[in-house]
Amino acid sequence: MRAPGLTSPGISPSSISAFLAAAAGRRLLPRKALARGGARWERRGGEMTTKTTTRVAIIGLGAMGSRMASRLLDAGHELIVYNRSAERAAPLVDRGARRAASPKEAAAGAGVVISMVTDDEASRAVWLDPERGALGGLGAEAIAIESSTLTLDWVRELAEHVGRRGARFLDAPVVGSRPQADAGQLVYLIGGAPETVDAARDVLGVLGAALRHVGLAGSGAVMKLVVNALFGIQVAALAELLGVLRGAGVDRAQALELLGALPVTSPALRGAGALIAADRHEPMFPIDLVEKDFRYALALARDVGASLPTAEAVRRVYAAAQSAGHGGQNIAAVSRIYG
């Protein structure tokens, strides 16, 4: 099967088609309803049937969390949202979501609690804050889903905390960016018990086109760091080679067109090249987060006694892009440090 890295952040929706075709043959787990929620009527083939709904809490309404929340509302799930900046919840509240004053309040009574935040520090705060943390509101048998890109150490620690509450845990980071989130075409990389993946399928299936169960808790987090590092290495290599071509007087647009037609260029890299050619750098996968993910991948390598010299060199390239003022721009903006 083609590697998940072909569906990477910052790429146009069409670039994920190859991976989704491969993922279509994945092992399917049977659906099972969650305890919390209800049912609604819908028409199928001229007949009225009921569809199970779930009370879902979304913690973190950034570019991805807000889109995930919108799709859950569209699917008829009862939605509770929390964000540090309350105004980001307003459009969702207008559509029927309930805004919680804290992560703890958001988690109380929810069957599924999904966190989508920036890093370990933010995740720790929303889950474990002694007064406001979501863990304090998590009910027995609820499913806590951490979809942020985080370190293995923290994800494993969080899984232990959730288990001690009598609740269930999945680390389920996603491959894809804003267009895929809008379309429900994300690819989930999931760590946790198979039966918990089964129980969460009715919710995650609204958000993702493929649910890839990688292994035990923490496995999804590790796979996501590998995917992002692989993609980041490709984009950095393309950027510096385009700099060489520019110095040699080769037209960049023509070179990108040629490279895009060759099998050496992955669909994900082809998408990044198109953004470079168009000089479009809206932050679908900001360089600040790219550099953070490389730091997390390098920490993982040290923990397991591995060496990542290529990844370390590439992290320095993205750090240079940050220093040059491109940290808030999309990953392909790394090309700008090469002229």
Side-chain angles (χ1 to χ4, degrees), residues 54-310:
T54 302
R55 182 182 299 172
V56 183
I58 295 281
I59 298 173
L61 298 176
M64 298 296 285
S66 60
R67 287 167 167 80
M68 294 161 70
S70 180
R71 285 197 59 82
L72 290 168
L73 280 176
D74 289 342
H77 291 288
E78 182 182 350
L79 187 66
I80 309 162
V81 296
Y82 170 79
N83 195 71
R84 285 184 304 175
S85 303
E87 62 271 13
R88 293 193 66 92
L92 296 165
V93 171
D94 289 343
R95 294 178 52 200
R98 177 165 66 85
R99 183 178 70 82
S102 67
K104 181 177 181 179
E105 181 183 316
V112 173
V113 181
I114 301 173
S115 167
M116 177 62 90
V117 295
T118 304
D119 54 22
D120 280 14
E121 183 180 3
S123 175
R124 183 178 290 275
V126 299
W127 287 108
L128 298 190
D129 182 277
E131 300 296 329
R132 298 167 50 84
L135 193 69
L138 201 63
E141 295 302 312
I143 302 177
I145 301 178
E146 181 50 88
S147 287
S148 316
T149 304
L150 306 171
T151 64
L152 175 60
D153 283 349
W154 163 237
V155 168
R156 285 178 170 171
E157 180 184 342
L158 178 58
E160 291 176 1
H161 284 292
V162 171
R164 286 196 289 268
R165 290 282 301 186
R168 296 171 286 177
F169 178 79
L170 297 174
D171 55 292
V174 299
V175 180
S177 189
R178 301 176 190 190
Q180 292 80 37
D182 282 329
Q185 295 289 303
L186 296 168
V187 176
Y188 274 90
L189 308 175
I190 307 176
E195 58 270 23
T196 306
V197 181
D198 170 14
R201 183 172 292 278
D202 281 335
V203 171
L204 296 183
V206 172
L207 308 174
L211 310 185
R212 303 297 308 198
H213 184 215
V214 184
L216 299 177
S219 301
V222 170
M223 195 69 213
K224 178 61 185 297
L225 292 176
V226 168
V227 168
N228 283 7
L230 181 59
F231 180 52
I233 288 168
Q234 293 179 69
V235 175
L238 177 63
E240 68 179 27
L241 291 170
L242 288 174
V244 172
L245 290 171
R246 179 176 179 272
V250 177
D251 180 74
R252 185 173 72 173
Q254 184 177 359
L256 284 167
E257 182 180 358
L258 173 60
L259 288 169
L262 297 175
V264 70
T265 305
S266 71
L269 189 59
R270 190 177 302 124
L275 295 176
I276 292 172
D279 200 30
R280 287 185 51 200
H281 303 298
E282 298 88 353
M284 289 184 286
F285 186 18
I287 285 173
D288 284 339
L289 295 185
V290 178
E291 192 276 337
K292 179 266 294 183
D293 291 350
F294 270 94
R295 282 190 283 110
Y296 284 2
L298 291 166
L300 171 65
R302 288 192 296 271
D303 289 345
V304 301
S307 176
L308 294 177
T310 302

